[in-house]
Amino acid sequence: MSPPSEEKDEDATDTMAGVPDIPTIHGYSSDEETVKCDRDDGHIADILQEERQTSATQRPQGNGSASNPYRRLLRDQVSDAASSEDGSSAVDGIPRRAGSPGGSVRSSIPDDSPSVQGSMISSPAGSGILPSLALRQGLNSPTPSFRPFDRRFQSRISSSGSVHTTPRSSSPAFLHAHSRNASLTSNMGMFDMNDADSPTPPWEVVRWTKLKKLNNQVFTEAGRRNFGAPTCLAVSTAIIIGTTKGIILIFDYNQNIKLIVGPGTKAIESGPITAIAISADHTTLAGGHENGNIFTWDTSRPSRPFLSMPPLDHSQAQNRTRDGHMANVTITHLGFLGTRHTALVSADDRGMAFSHLATRGTGALGRTVKTTRILGRYPNAAPPTSSKPLKPSTVLAFAPLPLGNIERSTDSFGLTAMLTPYLLVIVSTTPVAQTQHKSSRPKEMEPHSAVTGCLAWFPAVKLKVPDPVTGSEISKVKLVYCWSNVLTVLDVDEISTEDKDKPPSLRFRARSRWKCEEAIVAVQWLSRSVLTILTITQRLIVLEDRSMRMTEAFDLIQRHIYHTDVFSNQLHSLVEQLDEEDTSMHGVVADAFYMSFKAYKGRIFLFGFHDISIGALSNWADRLIALMENGDYISAIQLAASYYTGDADKLTVGLPEDAKLRHTMVKDKIMEIMRASLKYAFKRREQNQANADDHHLRELSETCFTACRSVDDLDFVFDDMYDWYEDAGAEGIFIETLEPYILDETIRIVPPTVVKAMVTHFVSKGWESRLEEMICHMETTTLDLDQVTLLCKQYGLYDALIYVWNQALNDYITPMIDLLTLLLPIIQNGNAINGADDPIFGVNALKVFPYLSYVLTGRVYPNGELIEDEVASKAKAEIYWFLFSGKSITWPHGPGRRFITRPDIQEEPSFPYLRMILQFDAPSFLSALNEAFEDPFLNDSPEKHPNGNAKRHSMPEEHVFGLTVDRQYIVSILMEIMNPSDFAPEDTIYLDMFIARNIPKFPQYLLFPGSTMVKILTGLCNYPGQDLADDAQLSAEYLLSVYHPPDNTELIPLLKKAGFHRILKRIYKAESQYGKLVRSYFEDPEDRDAVFECIRNCLRPKASITQRQIRDVHDAIKQHSRELAEEDPVQAAVTLGSVAPELHSHVLESLDEDPHLQYVYLKTLLEPDDPIHDEYRSTDRDLIEQYLRLMCHFDATHVSDYVGLVQSTNLRLEALLPTMEETGVIDAAVVLMAREGQVQEAMDRLMKHMYKLESALQGILGAATSYDDNASVDVQASAEDLVQGLQKFAHVGIWLCQGQMKTMKGKRKQSAIPASGDEGTLPPEETLWLNLIDTTVQITRRVSSSINSSSTTGQDHDTSGANVLDTERLLHLIRALVQHTFTALLTATTSTVPPLTPSPGPSPSIPQSPFSFSGTPSPFSPNRRPDLKQRPSVVSLSSHHSHTSLRGESQVLTTHSTPVSFLRILRAFLTRAAAASPSLADLRQVLTSIFSAYAYETRILDLSNKLLDKSLFTSVEKSATLRARGWRPRASTCEACKRRVWGPGVPAGRVLEAWEEREQVAKVRREERQAEKLRQMAEEAGEAGYGMFDTEVMMGGGRGKGKKRAETTASEEAAALRAATEGDGSASASASAGAPGAGGAAGGNDADTVGSPGLPRPPALGSLVVLACRHIYHQACLEQIQEREESKRWQQLKRGGPPTFVNVWKDGEREFRCPIDG
């Protein structure tokens, strides 16, 4: 590829509007990118300049005068951009070919060959006609392959290309508000230490006020001395404090003490005040004391208690004559019920709660109090009947429902909520105590968390505005409660009943849940929607109710909140008995904070160790004022705007949820802050002009714009805000801030004064393109048209100019004239292009195509909005009249002048404007027209007829003519104008494609004769360049979908020449020319891989295809067989194997030059990887033999395995042996020879190969010392490879000998085998073993000697080199060769007779040969592989006698009549060795090491057996113990019939006895089976010649330590037991194994009780079945259930479902599956 030329730097990119594009590097960027340049501080311009310079140094010399003049324009303007003030102004002003149909004005990379387009060489017949200007070489216009009919024109400026999608960096006005601290954001983590350095807000989240006057009276030393230390707090219309001296102090909010309650009464004798309550009307107080006393006080008469409720005395507590608190138990909670002064509830620290109701009377003496227990247990109460132990409990939180501002039914219930460590209990106390709701603690609690609990009610209230969620004007009763760190909000709904006299029922629903990071110790409602939470680390959290959003979080640790240990004494066992495994247990009991944290009317009251404080959340106005006072007015405006929109935490700052109310409250404040901010900012700027900060003003303007848009008051922007900026000379800042709001059409109407300033500012900055974009998004009614049009023409802003002409003046012709006027300098000299004085006009003229596309499809140019139908119809008619009227026009009518395209020629051609556009860029015009054809305006409608429109007579000429234009007329005119004599093929091809694509779309509007269709098809086939082939073929397919030529014989050559393979395939398929169809796939390079599917479809068995057609397909495949296999050999083999297996040989012949392809092809045929291809596996012998020969070259290790797999094929040995020997695949050759019966020849060939390997090994060992240390030969690895090869072929020889033994087994009697060990008298199978052993021993002996000598030689040389042999390892490997051979011989020639009596210990055994032949079949047994995994036997080396008796043992060792004798082979081997070498020293050393290894392995096996026996004994003993333990059923009744089956009182319940009898019968049966086995073994031993053993001894009838037992004894005993268990009607116990491991049996006995023969027989229990899941059934019941299940399954099977059965018979017993647990 040649370097990029200057031509490539031209109109290289033309992106779709609104779609970000990659910036181009070669000197030109899209308009989207030029917009981006304005914000990139000149970086893009720098890159463009650098690339331009680089390109100038690398490009070849161009075409001289034919160079594109547009390139010089771009170069000059890029240079201006690099030298401009901000580096981006000039690039913005480059007009471009916006919306080119190719999406980009594509450049072509020059090379050494002439260009296909625009060159004389490529034009047909050497035509001198040049293509349209846009297609000529040097103009860098699109190549013909830019697919003009697949794209849609887009302008640079469109509605989709708003500020949100433009590459321009977003204005800060659209960014989020300034980030605030944790108190403002709701999602800030409470304990995030990373925020420790974050700035704090200028306001206090909670404004705290210490009650200094009150504190001086209570917390001073004098106050403590007079009243006692404060202990608790209550808040209402007064502040009430309890003290340690039993006194209650009442203060008003002026901190004046109003009342002191208690002095001189019994209250001061009752200990400290521990709980306080105040009635709903604030006139009655209640105080609870440490000793259990409760007193109520009337604030108007505080001298004595109003009511007194003492604790129970000793006798009352013992006799339980009344309810009440126990003596000396601390009262922890108090509360009044409803509006009554005489009804209250209380709780103590022992977990008991009571309701107290006083009767009517006069004074305290005339009233009696009735106390009712509502929670807890007395200490002396009887324990519960359940087995669960009692857990310690207390009342962590307690509160009655307070009254709201509206009467509700819940007020009469006396609802009281109580929270214990385990339950939330809500009780109604009137008219009677009744539990309404219970809830256990949530599972979300943190494991081992602190024991805390708190709750708070919020009553039903009447709302000022309906609830935005429910729409109700009355809020629901709510309860918030917390366990540890989990907070839950509970809604209480009243459900009315039909009976009006009955109270409504209550429904409790947990609505919201929130999880804190630490335990919560107190909670209060600050308002209906805001919660305040105090955590265990004294951290205050503000939480919104509905959203559960944390809005504030800050520490109160410095407030020293009062807390005391109230619950740990009662709950200490929960902590002391903490179980780490039990996550529900707690780690610590927290102190109580409920008496110190109160809320009343939106205020927070904190009771500390040293003072009392009142806190109020800062409201929204306070926060705004704080920001203003801090000088941060920008943040104040942003915060106020967030309050207005509701994005901020409106509930916690006192703003209503109702949007209208909130807007009314906040809007005026926003406007006030903005005015004050502007005044303050510009006043400071005026005072300090030298240090004026434009950035600060810009930020202020962006913030004010955002706020004005939020409150929908943009008048403030132009009426007030602009004046401040204009007066200060900073209107540029204002205008730049205004820009994104105009682009996203938030602001469309701009005052003329602002427009004038905007024009001046952007022009002075050189940002005309940005100004143009803004103008195109504004309402034209406010523009100064003369000013704007003059400006647009002056700076080439034709998008804005067209927009103004169209929208303001409703003129669509003038923009066309303006754009075509730009083309006159380019084409006025015919085809010359050097007459253009200002090439910028040509670039702007390209905008004519997107303009035509937009207007003719009813869209506003350039923003793409839809035009109103009436205006759109007028605009389209004018454009069609302008182009297709056929003459030059005068515009505007009357005072206008005639627009001519050839000023130097007197006579204008026909259709002058159409010709001018086509000569400039025919493809782009046709692309725009292609879009216009889809518009319904060109359809034939009634209003377009002369008499169909009543207004037609009043329409102007252009409108009337435009209505008559249709698609047929347009195409006819185009075909007349774009004739071959006036236009080059590079242009006419696009007309052919245009017509071909539109005829199928509009067949009712476009009608042409067949000759025209043929002409169009011919033109498409004769496309001028290869890059147009795909477009031309697609267009031809469009045309042929509606036009069917009468004769394809003339068309097919054209299609072949053009390479239209898709069309050819469709024709061949329709005409059933399958042979040609297959050939067309081979000729199509883009779709060749589909030929396999084509062949399958053509030759599939069910295809209706004739023999001739099959022959044609076969001929096509044969003709292209090599290409078929090269495309995909696997697919080729599968395809031909399924439909044409007779072609395999032809394909393989065509691949003679590529053996690997042959191998892959045959592998797919003979060994397919996919099982679904097995049906196509070939059994042809020639193919298999060829595959084996190829496999020897490409996968030699697999040959022997494959030979064993093809047992059904009679392979020819002579055809395969040469290749196998050549490639060294001897193991497969041995297998083949053995299969042919040439066993001895196979062994000879194997031995010969082993000797070759020995020679090679000897050569390596001999030359080991001659290699240099730096030699690349790895001697050790080479030697090890050869030794492993010897081992491999030794194993092959072993396999050969073992196969021969199996073949000869039974053919020769043992008596016929001579006892001597002469070599000549050995049978063939023993001769094979002898030869193999002799070969391995001789090789081992010689190689061992060489290794030893090599080691000795190596010691005389330097042994530091890398090629020193590891002689020990080599000796070990070579001696293993003989060891494996002897091991296999021993395994094959010995066996063991089973022991007649138990042996006292394990017998020594020879280990099995480690060589496994699982993958190698036996050549002697064609249908099965050799089984070499025989059980090892004990070898007797004495002689071949009938038996050998071991001293002290009762096991018989024998060779068991084995046809092959180890001793004969060994004797023959020793004889041969003695004859070959008089000295057997080397042989003795080899054999000694072998048998030493056997002895070592024997000891290892003995040790392993002992370890296994010990472990096995332990496991068996444990299993026996578990089995003897038995199973305990879950219940004593049958799960099916519910009858009692075991346990006390069961009739005939001899279950255990029946089971024991069943076990005895089973034992007798086992003994019978063992006796039968022994008898059979004795008979076999007698037949085998064990005459010295008496059968009676083997049966156990001989004398010994036990007594002789007759054979009939066991039978008689078994019969007696069966008679005892079955004759009386009882059923034996049944075993069940319904599930893995399941099993267990129990028996029921219906026999009479022993010792009572006269009693009546009870009903039979029947057999019982106990399953592994411990369910118990009668066997009969279980069988009935499962028979029903099986019946259902059979019915399901009949209906077509899969059969499933659960009952099977195993070992004579039926298995069951539990119906309950499965």
PDB file of all heavy atoms in Angstrom, residues 1082 1088 1092 1120-1130 1132 1147 1150-1151 1153-1154 1157-1158 1161:
ATOM      1  N   PHE A1082     -18.770 -23.520  -6.251  1.00  0.00           N
ATOM      2  CA  PHE A1082     -17.312 -23.555  -6.329  1.00  0.00           C
ATOM      3  C   PHE A1082     -16.757 -22.285  -6.976  1.00  0.00           C
ATOM      4  O   PHE A1082     -15.665 -21.836  -6.646  1.00  0.00           O
ATOM      5  CB  PHE A1082     -16.847 -24.776  -7.123  1.00  0.00           C
ATOM      6  CG  PHE A1082     -16.972 -26.063  -6.368  1.00  0.00           C
ATOM      7  CD1 PHE A1082     -17.934 -27.007  -6.735  1.00  0.00           C
ATOM      8  CD2 PHE A1082     -16.144 -26.337  -5.294  1.00  0.00           C
ATOM      9  CE1 PHE A1082     -18.053 -28.189  -6.040  1.00  0.00           C
ATOM     10  CE2 PHE A1082     -16.259 -27.524  -4.601  1.00  0.00           C
ATOM     11  CZ  PHE A1082     -17.223 -28.458  -4.968  1.00  0.00           C
ATOM     12  N   ARG A1088     -18.333 -20.311  -0.802  1.00  0.00           N
ATOM     13  CA  ARG A1088     -17.916 -21.661  -1.176  1.00  0.00           C
ATOM     14  C   ARG A1088     -18.207 -22.655  -0.053  1.00  0.00           C
ATOM     15  O   ARG A1088     -18.427 -23.836  -0.308  1.00  0.00           O
ATOM     16  CB  ARG A1088     -16.428 -21.665  -1.535  1.00  0.00           C
ATOM     17  CG  ARG A1088     -15.917 -22.990  -2.027  1.00  0.00           C
ATOM     18  CD  ARG A1088     -14.499 -22.881  -2.539  1.00  0.00           C
ATOM     19  NE  ARG A1088     -14.417 -22.086  -3.763  1.00  0.00           N
ATOM     20  CZ  ARG A1088     -13.277 -21.830  -4.393  1.00  0.00           C
ATOM     21  NH1 ARG A1088     -12.134 -22.288  -3.917  1.00  0.00           N
ATOM     22  NH2 ARG A1088     -13.270 -21.110  -5.496  1.00  0.00           N
ATOM     23  N   PHE A1092     -21.324 -27.666   0.756  1.00  0.00           N
ATOM     24  CA  PHE A1092     -21.638 -28.941   1.414  1.00  0.00           C
ATOM     25  C   PHE A1092     -23.136 -29.069   1.654  1.00  0.00           C
ATOM     26  O   PHE A1092     -23.731 -30.124   1.401  1.00  0.00           O
ATOM     27  CB  PHE A1092     -20.872 -29.042   2.733  1.00  0.00           C
ATOM     28  CG  PHE A1092     -19.399 -28.857   2.583  1.00  0.00           C
ATOM     29  CD1 PHE A1092     -18.776 -27.697   3.010  1.00  0.00           C
ATOM     30  CD2 PHE A1092     -18.618 -29.840   1.993  1.00  0.00           C
ATOM     31  CE1 PHE A1092     -17.419 -27.518   2.860  1.00  0.00           C
ATOM     32  CE2 PHE A1092     -17.254 -29.676   1.842  1.00  0.00           C
ATOM     33  CZ  PHE A1092     -16.646 -28.508   2.270  1.00  0.00           C
ATOM     34  N   HIS A1120     -14.450 -30.775  -9.217  1.00  0.00           N
ATOM     35  CA  HIS A1120     -13.926 -29.872  -8.196  1.00  0.00           C
ATOM     36  C   HIS A1120     -13.640 -30.631  -6.904  1.00  0.00           C
ATOM     37  O   HIS A1120     -13.779 -30.073  -5.806  1.00  0.00           O
ATOM     38  CB  HIS A1120     -14.933 -28.759  -7.912  1.00  0.00           C
ATOM     39  CG  HIS A1120     -15.264 -27.904  -9.092  1.00  0.00           C
ATOM     40  ND1 HIS A1120     -14.474 -26.840  -9.494  1.00  0.00           N
ATOM     41  CD2 HIS A1120     -16.299 -27.955  -9.982  1.00  0.00           C
ATOM     42  CE1 HIS A1120     -15.006 -26.273 -10.558  1.00  0.00           C
ATOM     43  NE2 HIS A1120     -16.117 -26.924 -10.880  1.00  0.00           N
ATOM     44  N   SER A1121     -13.266 -31.887  -7.036  1.00  0.00           N
ATOM     45  CA  SER A1121     -13.082 -32.691  -5.833  1.00  0.00           C
ATOM     46  C   SER A1121     -11.958 -32.160  -4.959  1.00  0.00           C
ATOM     47  O   SER A1121     -12.046 -32.167  -3.728  1.00  0.00           O
ATOM     48  CB  SER A1121     -12.822 -34.152  -6.215  1.00  0.00           C
ATOM     49  OG  SER A1121     -11.671 -34.228  -7.061  1.00  0.00           O
ATOM     50  N   ARG A1122     -10.895 -31.705  -5.562  1.00  0.00           N
ATOM     51  CA  ARG A1122      -9.776 -31.195  -4.767  1.00  0.00           C
ATOM     52  C   ARG A1122     -10.196 -29.918  -4.013  1.00  0.00           C
ATOM     53  O   ARG A1122      -9.894 -29.745  -2.834  1.00  0.00           O
ATOM     54  CB  ARG A1122      -8.561 -30.922  -5.639  1.00  0.00           C
ATOM     55  CG  ARG A1122      -7.361 -30.435  -4.830  1.00  0.00           C
ATOM     56  CD  ARG A1122      -6.111 -30.289  -5.687  1.00  0.00           C
ATOM     57  NE  ARG A1122      -4.989 -29.825  -4.890  1.00  0.00           N
ATOM     58  CZ  ARG A1122      -4.199 -30.610  -4.164  1.00  0.00           C
ATOM     59  NH1 ARG A1122      -4.429 -31.924  -4.182  1.00  0.00           N
ATOM     60  NH2 ARG A1122      -3.215 -30.117  -3.456  1.00  0.00           N
ATOM     61  N   GLU A1123     -10.893 -29.016  -4.724  1.00  0.00           N
ATOM     62  CA  GLU A1123     -11.358 -27.789  -4.043  1.00  0.00           C
ATOM     63  C   GLU A1123     -12.310 -28.122  -2.904  1.00  0.00           C
ATOM     64  O   GLU A1123     -12.301 -27.464  -1.857  1.00  0.00           O
ATOM     65  CB  GLU A1123     -12.040 -26.859  -5.047  1.00  0.00           C
ATOM     66  CG  GLU A1123     -11.111 -26.302  -6.101  1.00  0.00           C
ATOM     67  CD  GLU A1123     -11.185 -27.090  -7.392  1.00  0.00           C
ATOM     68  OE1 GLU A1123     -11.117 -28.346  -7.308  1.00  0.00           O
ATOM     69  OE2 GLU A1123     -11.306 -26.475  -8.466  1.00  0.00           O
ATOM     70  N   LEU A1124     -13.136 -29.148  -3.111  1.00  0.00           N
ATOM     71  CA  LEU A1124     -14.074 -29.541  -2.063  1.00  0.00           C
ATOM     72  C   LEU A1124     -13.331 -29.990  -0.807  1.00  0.00           C
ATOM     73  O   LEU A1124     -13.666 -29.567   0.311  1.00  0.00           O
ATOM     74  CB  LEU A1124     -14.970 -30.670  -2.580  1.00  0.00           C
ATOM     75  CG  LEU A1124     -16.072 -31.145  -1.620  1.00  0.00           C
ATOM     76  CD1 LEU A1124     -17.158 -30.088  -1.509  1.00  0.00           C
ATOM     77  CD2 LEU A1124     -16.673 -32.460  -2.120  1.00  0.00           C
ATOM     78  N   ALA A1125     -12.314 -30.814  -0.973  1.00  0.00           N
ATOM     79  CA  ALA A1125     -11.569 -31.293   0.194  1.00  0.00           C
ATOM     80  C   ALA A1125     -10.724 -30.189   0.809  1.00  0.00           C
ATOM     81  O   ALA A1125     -10.581 -30.125   2.039  1.00  0.00           O
ATOM     82  CB  ALA A1125     -10.689 -32.478  -0.212  1.00  0.00           C
ATOM     83  N   GLU A1126     -10.167 -29.335  -0.002  1.00  0.00           N
ATOM     84  CA  GLU A1126      -9.356 -28.249   0.544  1.00  0.00           C
ATOM     85  C   GLU A1126     -10.211 -27.246   1.318  1.00  0.00           C
ATOM     86  O   GLU A1126      -9.729 -26.631   2.262  1.00  0.00           O
ATOM     87  CB  GLU A1126      -8.610 -27.543  -0.588  1.00  0.00           C
ATOM     88  CG  GLU A1126      -7.471 -28.374  -1.176  1.00  0.00           C
ATOM     89  CD  GLU A1126      -6.816 -27.666  -2.351  1.00  0.00           C
ATOM     90  OE1 GLU A1126      -7.431 -26.708  -2.878  1.00  0.00           O
ATOM     91  OE2 GLU A1126      -5.708 -28.074  -2.751  1.00  0.00           O
ATOM     92  N   GLU A1127     -11.452 -27.079   0.933  1.00  0.00           N
ATOM     93  CA  GLU A1127     -12.330 -26.164   1.661  1.00  0.00           C
ATOM     94  C   GLU A1127     -12.551 -26.634   3.094  1.00  0.00           C
ATOM     95  O   GLU A1127     -12.409 -25.870   4.039  1.00  0.00           O
ATOM     96  CB  GLU A1127     -13.681 -26.036   0.927  1.00  0.00           C
ATOM     97  CG  GLU A1127     -14.670 -25.087   1.573  1.00  0.00           C
ATOM     98  CD  GLU A1127     -14.220 -23.646   1.507  1.00  0.00           C
ATOM     99  OE1 GLU A1127     -13.457 -23.294   0.575  1.00  0.00           O
ATOM    100  OE2 GLU A1127     -14.612 -22.870   2.399  1.00  0.00           O
ATOM    101  N   ASP A1128     -12.877 -27.882   3.268  1.00  0.00           N
ATOM    102  CA  ASP A1128     -13.052 -28.446   4.614  1.00  0.00           C
ATOM    103  C   ASP A1128     -13.068 -29.969   4.465  1.00  0.00           C
ATOM    104  O   ASP A1128     -14.099 -30.552   4.121  1.00  0.00           O
ATOM    105  CB  ASP A1128     -14.351 -27.952   5.255  1.00  0.00           C
ATOM    106  CG  ASP A1128     -14.452 -28.343   6.720  1.00  0.00           C
ATOM    107  OD1 ASP A1128     -13.710 -29.236   7.148  1.00  0.00           O
ATOM    108  OD2 ASP A1128     -15.269 -27.735   7.449  1.00  0.00           O
ATOM    109  N   PRO A1129     -11.944 -30.632   4.716  1.00  0.00           N
ATOM    110  CA  PRO A1129     -11.913 -32.090   4.494  1.00  0.00           C
ATOM    111  C   PRO A1129     -12.880 -32.846   5.397  1.00  0.00           C
ATOM    112  O   PRO A1129     -13.413 -33.878   5.002  1.00  0.00           O
ATOM    113  CB  PRO A1129     -10.454 -32.455   4.792  1.00  0.00           C
ATOM    114  CG  PRO A1129      -9.926 -31.332   5.618  1.00  0.00           C
ATOM    115  CD  PRO A1129     -10.655 -30.107   5.174  1.00  0.00           C
ATOM    116  N   VAL A1130     -13.109 -32.355   6.595  1.00  0.00           N
ATOM    117  CA  VAL A1130     -14.037 -33.042   7.495  1.00  0.00           C
ATOM    118  C   VAL A1130     -15.453 -32.968   6.941  1.00  0.00           C
ATOM    119  O   VAL A1130     -16.165 -33.977   6.849  1.00  0.00           O
ATOM    120  CB  VAL A1130     -13.955 -32.419   8.901  1.00  0.00           C
ATOM    121  CG1 VAL A1130     -15.014 -33.040   9.814  1.00  0.00           C
ATOM    122  CG2 VAL A1130     -12.563 -32.606   9.490  1.00  0.00           C
ATOM    123  N   ALA A1132     -16.288 -32.366   3.892  1.00  0.00           N
ATOM    124  CA  ALA A1132     -16.336 -33.103   2.627  1.00  0.00           C
ATOM    125  C   ALA A1132     -16.547 -34.593   2.871  1.00  0.00           C
ATOM    126  O   ALA A1132     -17.372 -35.238   2.210  1.00  0.00           O
ATOM    127  CB  ALA A1132     -15.047 -32.868   1.839  1.00  0.00           C
ATOM    128  N   VAL A1147     -12.103 -38.594  -4.752  1.00  0.00           N
ATOM    129  CA  VAL A1147     -11.592 -37.470  -3.961  1.00  0.00           C
ATOM    130  C   VAL A1147     -10.192 -37.781  -3.466  1.00  0.00           C
ATOM    131  O   VAL A1147      -9.296 -36.917  -3.511  1.00  0.00           O
ATOM    132  CB  VAL A1147     -12.553 -37.178  -2.788  1.00  0.00           C
ATOM    133  CG1 VAL A1147     -11.963 -36.123  -1.863  1.00  0.00           C
ATOM    134  CG2 VAL A1147     -13.909 -36.737  -3.302  1.00  0.00           C
ATOM    135  N   SER A1150      -7.619 -37.346  -6.121  1.00  0.00           N
ATOM    136  CA  SER A1150      -7.319 -35.946  -6.411  1.00  0.00           C
ATOM    137  C   SER A1150      -6.412 -35.321  -5.367  1.00  0.00           C
ATOM    138  O   SER A1150      -5.852 -34.245  -5.593  1.00  0.00           O
ATOM    139  CB  SER A1150      -8.626 -35.136  -6.500  1.00  0.00           C
ATOM    140  OG  SER A1150      -9.262 -35.072  -5.240  1.00  0.00           O
ATOM    141  N   LEU A1151      -6.261 -35.985  -4.227  1.00  0.00           N
ATOM    142  CA  LEU A1151      -5.441 -35.449  -3.140  1.00  0.00           C
ATOM    143  C   LEU A1151      -4.111 -36.187  -3.017  1.00  0.00           C
ATOM    144  O   LEU A1151      -3.499 -36.185  -1.942  1.00  0.00           O
ATOM    145  CB  LEU A1151      -6.203 -35.546  -1.810  1.00  0.00           C
ATOM    146  CG  LEU A1151      -7.501 -34.739  -1.696  1.00  0.00           C
ATOM    147  CD1 LEU A1151      -8.187 -35.027  -0.376  1.00  0.00           C
ATOM    148  CD2 LEU A1151      -7.231 -33.248  -1.837  1.00  0.00           C
ATOM    149  N   GLU A1153      -1.279 -35.443  -4.013  1.00  0.00           N
ATOM    150  CA  GLU A1153      -0.167 -34.546  -3.711  1.00  0.00           C
ATOM    151  C   GLU A1153      -0.231 -33.993  -2.294  1.00  0.00           C
ATOM    152  O   GLU A1153       0.678 -33.273  -1.886  1.00  0.00           O
ATOM    153  CB  GLU A1153      -0.150 -33.389  -4.720  1.00  0.00           C
ATOM    154  CG  GLU A1153       0.064 -33.839  -6.171  1.00  0.00           C
ATOM    155  CD  GLU A1153       0.023 -32.658  -7.117  1.00  0.00           C
ATOM    156  OE1 GLU A1153      -0.189 -31.521  -6.622  1.00  0.00           O
ATOM    157  OE2 GLU A1153       0.213 -32.861  -8.330  1.00  0.00           O
ATOM    158  N   ASP A1154      -1.284 -34.272  -1.565  1.00  0.00           N
ATOM    159  CA  ASP A1154      -1.441 -33.742  -0.196  1.00  0.00           C
ATOM    160  C   ASP A1154      -1.848 -34.896   0.721  1.00  0.00           C
ATOM    161  O   ASP A1154      -3.031 -35.084   1.015  1.00  0.00           O
ATOM    162  CB  ASP A1154      -2.483 -32.629  -0.167  1.00  0.00           C
ATOM    163  CG  ASP A1154      -2.425 -31.819   1.135  1.00  0.00           C
ATOM    164  OD1 ASP A1154      -1.838 -32.323   2.116  1.00  0.00           O
ATOM    165  OD2 ASP A1154      -2.956 -30.698   1.174  1.00  0.00           O
ATOM    166  N   LEU A1157      -4.116 -34.122   3.848  1.00  0.00           N
ATOM    167  CA  LEU A1157      -5.544 -33.969   3.587  1.00  0.00           C
ATOM    168  C   LEU A1157      -6.200 -35.340   3.427  1.00  0.00           C
ATOM    169  O   LEU A1157      -7.331 -35.553   3.884  1.00  0.00           O
ATOM    170  CB  LEU A1157      -5.759 -33.127   2.336  1.00  0.00           C
ATOM    171  CG  LEU A1157      -5.839 -31.605   2.524  1.00  0.00           C
ATOM    172  CD1 LEU A1157      -6.089 -30.930   1.183  1.00  0.00           C
ATOM    173  CD2 LEU A1157      -6.928 -31.235   3.511  1.00  0.00           C
ATOM    174  N   GLN A1158      -5.507 -36.269   2.745  1.00  0.00           N
ATOM    175  CA  GLN A1158      -6.044 -37.628   2.640  1.00  0.00           C
ATOM    176  C   GLN A1158      -6.247 -38.241   4.021  1.00  0.00           C
ATOM    177  O   GLN A1158      -7.280 -38.871   4.297  1.00  0.00           O
ATOM    178  CB  GLN A1158      -5.089 -38.495   1.814  1.00  0.00           C
ATOM    179  CG  GLN A1158      -5.061 -38.180   0.337  1.00  0.00           C
ATOM    180  CD  GLN A1158      -4.095 -39.095  -0.406  1.00  0.00           C
ATOM    181  OE1 GLN A1158      -3.055 -39.473   0.124  1.00  0.00           O
ATOM    182  NE2 GLN A1158      -4.441 -39.432  -1.644  1.00  0.00           N
ATOM    183  N   TYR A1161      -9.222 -36.673   5.746  1.00  0.00           N
ATOM    184  CA  TYR A1161     -10.445 -37.138   5.079  1.00  0.00           C
ATOM    185  C   TYR A1161     -10.787 -38.555   5.526  1.00  0.00           C
ATOM    186  O   TYR A1161     -11.932 -38.849   5.911  1.00  0.00           O
ATOM    187  CB  TYR A1161     -10.240 -37.053   3.579  1.00  0.00           C
ATOM    188  CG  TYR A1161     -11.464 -37.338   2.751  1.00  0.00           C
ATOM    189  CD1 TYR A1161     -12.305 -36.317   2.351  1.00  0.00           C
ATOM    190  CD2 TYR A1161     -11.786 -38.638   2.352  1.00  0.00           C
ATOM    191  CE1 TYR A1161     -13.433 -36.570   1.589  1.00  0.00           C
ATOM    192  CE2 TYR A1161     -12.897 -38.906   1.594  1.00  0.00           C
ATOM    193  CZ  TYR A1161     -13.720 -37.878   1.204  1.00  0.00           C
ATOM    194  OH  TYR A1161     -14.835 -38.135   0.464  1.00  0.00           O
TER     195      TYR A1161
END
